[in-house]
Amino acid sequence: MLLSSIVAVFALCTSALAQRATAPFTEPKSGITFQAYKHTSGYQFGIALPPKPGNDFIGHLSAPASVGWAGGDLGPKMVGKLLIVAWPNGGSVVGSLRRATRKSSPPPYTGAAKLKPIAAGTYANASHWSYTFLCEGCLADPAVGFAKDAPAGDLGWAAGARAPADKASANAGLSYHNVGAGSIQANFAQAKATGYDAWAAKAA
Ligand code: HEM
């Protein structure tokens, strides 16, 4: 009885871990392949790296229309690393780089990194929305980026149901992540893609 309970708890833990890992995902409109984490809500966060990682990566955030904002975190904790936040605004999507110093609506990031949308994978329709982007310079400072040369590392995710009040502004205040938030085990080795340069060249 005790043994079977231990086995059951162990099985639960390993399946919970497996659910937090990234897996291959091809964004259908842009054809870009990511290592992506998908939450049961439909939220998704993916990354693609060049064969030799530099200062940039290509990212993807998408969610059902019921999700007001979605965020990707370049580390497993809310405070410290770069946060990429996106939300739909009409037929388009607004992206914003943030950095939190405490657990409240994170202010805009003031460093040199930039988000450049990739049009083919960036849209909003009645059922869901998608933001595909080049995160330019996002890995230049190891204090805010992930360890791109490691085979794997921990990232984070967050999503909130309530859209920002001022959807048109990239500096809009955010509501709490009531859809969920937590860490992700990202496979950087498998995020490397030979098509990277051609995909990155499409960023505006
Ligand atoms: C109004 C905005 C926000 C508030 C008030 C807030 C608040 C909090 C609080 C209180 C926690 C502790 C555990 C929990 O309650 O879930 C937390 C955790 C977390 N948050 Fe936020 N957050 C906000 C926005 C964001 C954004 C934009 C991101 C990422 C893009 C983010 C990523 C995370 C992650 C990954 C965790 C889990 C790890 C940790 O506890 O550090 N949060 N947040």
Side-chain angles (χ1 to χ4, degrees):
M1 175 62 192
L2 179 65
L3 183 66
S4 62
S5 309
I6 292 170
V7 169
V9 167
F10 180 76
L12 264 177
C13 292
T14 49
S15 74
L17 281 178
Q19 283 162 8
R20 293 198 291 115
T22 57
F25 162 71
T26 302
E27 196 286 311
K29 298 202 184 193
S30 64
I32 299 176
T33 301
F34 297 93
Q35 271 290 312
Y37 163 72
K38 188 163 191 170
H39 181 250
T40 48
S41 63
Y43 161 101
Q44 194 159 248
F45 174 40
I47 58 161
L49 290 166
K52 268 192 86 170
N55 291 336
D56 309 346
F57 69 93
I58 298 173
H60 172 77
L61 282 167
S62 58
S66 57
V67 171
W69 67 264
D73 182 340
L74 301 195
K77 296 281 177 217
M78 178 172 164
V79 171
K81 299 283 185 178
L82 270 177
L83 307 174
I84 300 141
V85 187
W87 57 86
N89 180 33
S92 189
V93 180
V94 175
S96 176
L97 275 176
R98 309 285 176 111
R99 192 180 184 203
T101 53
R102 58 197 181 97
K103 288 178 175 167
S104 60
S105 181
Y109 177 58
T110 52
K114 244 191 211 160
L115 292 173
K116 293 187 165 177
I118 294 174
T122 298
Y123 59 90
N125 61 34
S127 70
H128 69 288
W129 55 275
S130 167
Y131 184 58
T132 303
F133 57 94
L134 180 69
C135 206
E136 194 177 75
C138 294
L139 306 178
D141 179 359
V144 300
F146 55 79
K148 60 203 176 192
D149 297 313
D154 289 345
L155 304 179
W157 76 280
R162 260 181 70 192
D166 186 6
K167 286 190 204 177
S169 166
N171 298 338
L174 301 167
S175 61
Y176 177 68
H177 31 71
N178 59 345
V179 174
S183 64
I184 300 170
Q185 297 162 319
N187 188 327
F188 299 144
Q190 285 182 28
K192 292 178 182 175
T194 48
Y196 180 92
D197 286 347
W199 299 333
K202 292 183 183 152

